[in-house]
Amino acid sequence: MEFAAGARLEVRITASDVGKRVTVRSVAEEAAPGAAFTDTVGILTSWEEGVLLVTRRDGTRVRLAEEAVVAAKTVPAAPARRRGPAADYAELAGVQERGWRAAEREALGGWLLRASVVDGAGFTRRANSVLPLGDPGMPLPRALDRVREWYGARGLPAYAQLATGAGDTQEVLAAELEALGWRREVSALVMVGALAPLAELGPEPVGSLAVAAPVAEGPEAVDPGVRLGRTPDEAWLRRYHRAAGQESGGVPEGVRAVLASGPSPWFARIDAADVPAAPPGGDRESGKPASGGGGFAHTGTGVSGTAGVPDAIGRCVVDGRWAGFAAVEVAPEQRRRGLAQRVMGALARTALAEGASAAWLQVERDNEAAIALYTRLGFTVHHHYHHYRAPEAA
């Protein structure tokens, strides 16, 4: 949001507006010809000692000298969503937490302490970080001490998962943690989209650069090459990057428990025997009929891949109107053949049958290929989240 041309420039914000969304025009430090000013939009997270700190949607922070500000005003908390399902951060955060549930959970006022210790270490930051969704019921320094004590008692570093970029996210708290020495380690995007278009994705055209094509019969059609199950079986785990290399049956129960958590989890895989060769003009091969092991229901014909490593896998958790996608992974040599879309299509059809209508997923900010894929599939960024690590004790 910019200032209208010809409008009177006026600073209409004060330090009392900390926590509000603002747009600030300031003198550019290195002004290009014809661009003497720069506009910054985000949450005003602090205004101290003559410096304004504004946090942009992606979590980056801009420091502006007070004397350089020529105009500023508050703006609506968040722009109206042009497409995709509407949701506030609190709703999505709750859905995400239930879809990747930690083994141990304890409330600290409105904060949630989470831990999933596997072989002496935490299995994923999401399942081993405090999730602040309200007031901890005590002053911030005391709450952070409690967080560090809780994780220290379990032999874990203290992490906090905070979000930026939506109307009710935690830009101010993130700035406070950074001021106290907490360090941001990883950032990710949370993207949302309509579920029905995903359910129309089906078998791709043959070819190394093929893209998954819509199923002509409609979203209720079944892709015969995708196997679905309620739990991650041994074949699925062999492809999953966090369990790859483990001996058969050697994946810790704690890992399996987190993967299988959520109100209604589903797992999908495409076995190597179900991926057709792709010579120019080649034909598909359906393989021989077989049933999927480990609780997987075979949705068509093909050869079970339980003795090998699948070419593609995916996970989906249905929670009310939401379907959350995760662990969509494809063998490097099979990428750009539409396997990820086929996996997501099969999972989406299952979620639709359970009454879901909206989809969400998360992807690390530097994974440009995945972001491009999900954008093509209709997903848009809802918010960003970040994991902050507590400083080492003195």
Side-chain angles (χ1 to χ4, degrees):
M1 181 178 294
E2 298 181 351
F3 293 88
R8 180 181 177 184
L9 298 180
E10 184 178 357
V11 177
R12 301 177 183 173
I13 63 174
T14 68
S16 65
D17 290 310
V18 167
K20 297 180 181 178
R21 190 167 182 264
V22 299
T23 179
V24 181
R25 174 164 291 180
S26 57
V27 177
E29 293 184 1
E30 299 179 0
F37 302 102
T38 182
D39 292 334
T40 304
V41 180
I43 302 297
L44 180 64
T45 47
S46 69
W47 189 340
E48 299 174 352
E49 299 180 354
V51 177
L52 287 73
L53 183 64
V54 179
T55 302
R56 291 186 171 128
R57 187 182 184 196
D58 65 358
T60 58
R61 293 187 174 79
V62 180
R63 297 181 183 276
L64 303 170
E66 186 176 318
E67 61 268 19
V69 175
V70 297
K73 62 183 179 182
T74 59
V75 292
R81 295 189 62 80
R82 292 178 173 83
R83 60 192 179 103
D88 59 24
Y89 166 69
E91 178 188 358
L92 260 182
V95 170
Q96 289 177 272
E97 190 277 323
R98 290 190 295 273
W100 196 259
R101 179 147 292 199
E104 186 178 3
R105 303 158 70 252
E106 181 178 323
L108 179 64
W111 292 14
L112 181 63
L113 298 158
R114 305 173 294 179
S116 291
V117 181
V118 177
D119 293 338
F123 174 63
T124 75
R125 291 183 181 85
R126 278 184 291 159
N128 292 275
S129 55
V130 62
L131 183 64
L133 295 178
D135 189 329
M138 61 187 69
L140 180 61
R142 183 180 168 193
L144 295 178
D145 286 343
R146 177 73 184 96
V147 168
R148 294 176 65 161
E149 292 169 0
W150 196 84
Y151 284 101
R154 289 155 181 79
L156 299 173
Y159 280 99
Q161 180 179 316
L162 304 180
T164 62
D168 52 349
T169 42
Q170 302 143 320
E171 288 83 355
V172 173
L173 179 57
E176 291 176 323
L177 261 61
E178 287 196 359
L180 293 171
W182 288 61
R183 185 180 75 256
R184 185 192 302 182
E185 287 194 349
V186 177
S187 295
L189 285 66
V190 175
M191 307 180 75
V192 298
L195 185 63
L198 298 180
E200 295 179 357
L201 296 172
E204 75 215 325
V206 174
S208 61
L209 299 180
V211 177
V215 177
E217 296 84 357
E220 72 281 358
V222 174
D223 183 344
V226 182
R227 293 165 168 77
L228 297 170
R230 281 298 200 174
T231 58
D233 70 352
E234 298 303 322
W236 194 98
L237 291 167
R238 290 190 189 99
R239 170 57 58 197
Y240 181 52
H241 74 284
R242 295 184 185 277
Q246 297 274 2
E247 295 294 331
S248 178
V251 177
E253 185 58 36
V255 172
R256 297 171 185 263
V258 173
L259 285 169
S261 65
S264 182
W266 287 95
F267 296 82
R269 74 172 196 259
I270 298 177
D271 295 331
D274 293 323
V275 178
D283 295 327
R284 287 181 171 274
E285 295 180 3
S286 60
K288 300 178 181 179
S291 61
F296 275 66
H298 187 29
T299 60
T301 59
V303 178
S304 173
T306 54
V309 180
D311 277 337
I313 61 170
R315 174 183 183 267
C316 177
V317 174
V318 183
D319 185 351
R321 70 180 180 120
W322 289 101
F325 293 83
V328 178
E329 302 181 12
V330 178
E333 67 275 11
Q334 294 292 347
R335 290 172 184 167
R336 297 180 63 81
R337 298 190 61 195
L339 300 190
Q341 294 98 310
R342 288 177 60 192
V343 164
M344 293 182 70
L347 291 169
R349 289 188 287 277
T350 303
L352 274 180
E354 292 194 7
S357 60
W360 70 269
L361 54 82
Q362 55 193 43
V363 56
E364 290 194 4
R365 193 159 60 186
D366 59 357
N367 193 342
E368 296 178 359
I371 293 172
L373 167 64
Y374 298 139
T375 300
R376 290 198 302 272
L377 294 178
F379 285 86
T380 58
V381 177
H382 182 275
H383 66 269
H384 300 246
Y385 79 81
H386 320 275
H387 281 113
Y388 287 85
R389 182 169 176 156
E392 298 296 332

